[in-house]
Amino acid sequence: MSTDSSVNSPEKPESIFGKRLRNFLIVMVAIALSVSLVLGLRTETTSATLAKLSETSTPLEVALSNGKPSLVEFYADWCTVCQKMAPDITQLETEYADKMNFVMLNVDNTKWLPEMLRFRVDGIPHFVFLSQQGETIAQAIGDQPRKIMATNLEALVTGSSLPYAQASGKVSKFSAPVAPTANQDDPRSHGSQVVN
């Protein structure tokens, strides 16, 4: 009868040491990867967001009265095109901050309904270029390449005509509520339920 010596024989000390070393190295690599992953996720990124742009935005009232040209952007936090353009707008704002105003108006805030109606906002992002006197020079709707926006802003700052006025790109659809709907059961309707 033949016997298989590898099945029943005790392991040699070299192979036990080799396995322990291999397992130790695997554990160390796993720990290092875990630590780097956790630290990587906790590191705050400097990516531009709509919230940051909104925080640094010049108030509309100030922009209309401080004698600088302005770029007004109608946006929404849920707008994917607005989110995509946020890094470019942040770079442009950094580049032109001392020469012009950057105004962010959230279309989800009904406070801006008169401005949405005035500028006929039906897609976002919706950009309005205002002169130093607060007059509308041009509008652009949707995704705009950074180069086109920079060219328009340079023209706005120098008082030249905008080369890419009335540009249109990919938009997120938006419908501004024009007027509240009339409800016959509303007690504030002041007698509309009274029948003569």
Side-chain angles (χ1 to χ4, degrees), residues 14-150:
E14 303 89 41
S15 64
I16 291 174
F17 176 74
K19 286 182 180 181
R20 285 187 179 172
L21 180 62
R22 183 192 66 199
N23 290 344
F24 177 74
L25 290 174
I26 290 172
V27 168
M28 294 308 290
V29 169
I31 289 171
L33 289 173
S34 298
V35 167
S36 65
L37 179 64
V38 168
L39 290 177
L41 291 175
R42 286 190 174 194
T43 303
E44 187 173 323
T45 60
T46 58
S47 65
T49 64
L50 292 170
K52 287 179 187 176
L53 281 170
S54 179
E55 288 172 12
T56 61
S57 169
T58 304
L60 182 62
E61 305 79 37
V62 173
L64 293 175
S65 63
N66 69 1
K68 291 182 179 178
S70 302
L71 174 67
V72 178
E73 178 181 353
F74 290 91
Y75 76 100
D77 294 327
W78 49 263
C79 170
T80 55
V81 179
C82 303
Q83 293 166 2
K84 176 185 173 271
M85 289 190 67
D88 288 342
I89 298 299
T90 300
Q91 287 178 347
L92 291 169
E93 183 177 9
T94 302
E95 197 174 321
Y96 290 94
D98 57 337
K99 302 174 187 172
M100 61 179 299
N101 302 305
F102 286 81
V103 180
M104 300 289 290
L105 303 180
N106 191 330
V107 296
D108 290 333
N109 186 344
T110 56
K111 171 184 178 180
W112 304 119
L113 184 58
E115 286 76 12
M116 288 184 272
L117 294 173
R118 175 180 168 204
F119 296 113
R120 299 178 184 216
V121 177
D122 60 358
I124 53 176
H126 186 110
F127 300 97
V128 180
F129 299 88
L130 301 176
S131 69
Q132 294 174 342
Q133 296 78 26
E135 299 167 353
T136 304
I137 294 176
Q139 297 187 34
I141 302 171
D143 189 5
Q144 304 295 313
R146 183 185 185 288
K147 185 170 178 86
I148 287 178
M149 288 296 286

